[in-house]
Amino acid sequence: QVQLVESGGGWVQAGGSLRLSCAASGRTFYNFAMGWFRQAPGKEREFVARITWSGGNTYYADSVKGRFSISRDNAKNTVYLQMNSLKPEDTAVYYCASTSKVVVTTRPIDYDYWGQGTQVTVSS
């Protein structure tokens, strides 16, 4: 079992920045690739970013590329999502998730454990 707890969400004006954190506990954190997803009201959960267990490889959705940055600190069992140049369309509940799959996957079904989510609201 892996327990994931997100934090750092909130309200921000368009163009602003937020940094989300995801603290992990339970099974060995560094064995897992980690991902961030988001879900807006009435929409399906969508992939945002992914990072390998070593932190050496990252992958982003086109919609956030160049604005968001995913990183991890295995010593602290924490993964981060730095979000810059935020837009109103970034408004959603953001979730972190872990996967044991080594291939890059953006499908929520391929992720084994999920946090409870943190709300991000971007006003225009």
Side-chain angles (χ1 to χ4, degrees):
Q1 286 281 352
V2 175
Q3 292 79 42
L4 303 172
V5 179
E6 302 97 335
S7 61
W11 178 90
V12 65
Q13 286 189 321
S17 299
L18 283 174
R19 187 195 196 202
L20 305 183
S21 299
C22 174
S25 60
R27 292 179 62 184
T28 308
F29 174 70
Y30 60 76
N31 284 342
F32 298 94
M34 299 295 295
W36 284 97
F37 289 77
R38 65 188 182 186
Q39 189 166 18
K43 295 188 176 181
E44 292 187 352
R45 191 165 299 189
E46 66 172 354
F47 171 80
V48 174
R50 180 187 185 273
I51 189 167
T52 55
W53 69 269
S54 68
N57 288 289
T58 56
Y59 186 77
Y60 297 92
D62 287 342
S63 59
V64 306
K65 204 172 293 184
R67 300 188 297 122
F68 290 11
S69 177
I70 188 172
S71 62
R72 68 190 293 165
D73 185 339
N74 286 344
K76 295 182 178 180
N77 288 351
T78 302
V79 64
Y80 304 97
L81 185 68
Q82 178 66 43
M83 305 186 295
N84 299 326
S85 302
L86 282 161
K87 305 175 181 180
E89 51 263 44
D90 295 318
T91 295
V93 177
Y94 283 71
Y95 300 89
C96 70
S98 65
T99 178
S100 56
K101 294 190 180 296
V102 297
V103 296
V104 174
T105 175
T106 63
R107 302 189 311 167
I109 195 172
D110 290 329
Y111 288 73
D112 309 301
Y113 300 100
W114 293 82
Q116 82 290 348
T118 185
Q119 177 71 46
V120 171
T121 303
V122 184
S123 65
S124 56

